[in-house]
Amino acid sequence: MTIEELHTAAKAMIDRLEQERADNTDGKAKALIETLRDERQFKLLIGVAAAYSATGAYDPKIVTRYAQGLIESGDAAKARELLAELVVKVPAASSVFIEAKGLQGRAWKQTFFDSADNSSGP
């Protein structure tokens, strides 16, 4: 898909999710989120994932994608919050738990890199 097609698809899915329940998308919302992640269109991914979550649906895999989008878009703090909630809800042996823990580490690392250097100078 081209960038324009991704924008169009994301806008259409957000509009659909605002009008319907997430489970009425026949998996198309999840598939679009995966495509947006693969294409590194994180701002669009965040919009679709937020609309998906706003329907009341909860899918741990979507939460991990949402968190990744937030990290990549400069909102590691919100990603850390989502991931902290997620890791207490999923089994510790699950692949989602492992991915979420890895993303938590990445979010903390990003927070460190984004923070001002408060060390004393020479």
Side-chain angles (χ1 to χ4, degrees):
M1 289 181 117
T2 66
I3 298 299
E4 293 79 24
E5 291 170 328
L6 289 172
H7 277 274
T8 301
K11 173 77 169 103
M13 183 56 69
I14 291 167
D15 291 344
R16 182 175 180 180
L17 288 166
E18 288 174 348
Q19 297 171 11
E20 302 178 33
R21 294 170 33 106
D23 56 5
N24 290 341
T25 66
D26 300 322
K28 291 178 183 170
K30 292 179 189 181
L32 178 58
I33 289 169
E34 289 296 326
T35 299
L36 293 170
R37 183 187 78 126
D38 293 346
E39 295 294 325
R40 301 192 55 77
Q41 295 299 311
F42 295 112
K43 297 236 184 239
L44 296 174
L45 183 156
I46 291 167
V48 176
Y52 183 94
S53 296
T55 67
Y58 186 80
D59 184 313
K61 193 71 164 175
I62 299 299
V63 175
T64 62
R65 299 301 181 246
Y66 190 7
Q68 183 180 3
L70 290 167
I71 294 166
E72 295 290 342
S73 299
D75 197 351
K78 184 169 181 179
R80 289 194 324 265
E81 290 174 22
L82 288 175
L83 293 165
E85 293 172 12
L86 175 63
V87 296
V88 298
K89 293 180 180 181
V90 297
S94 71
S95 62
V96 172
F97 179 86
I98 294 165
E99 184 173 12
K101 291 301 274 185
L103 283 170
Q104 277 185 312
R106 176 128 186 332
W108 279 109
K109 179 180 174 182
Q110 194 63 47
T111 300
F112 173 78
F113 282 119
D114 292 345
S115 66
D117 183 3
N118 293 322
S119 62
S120 58

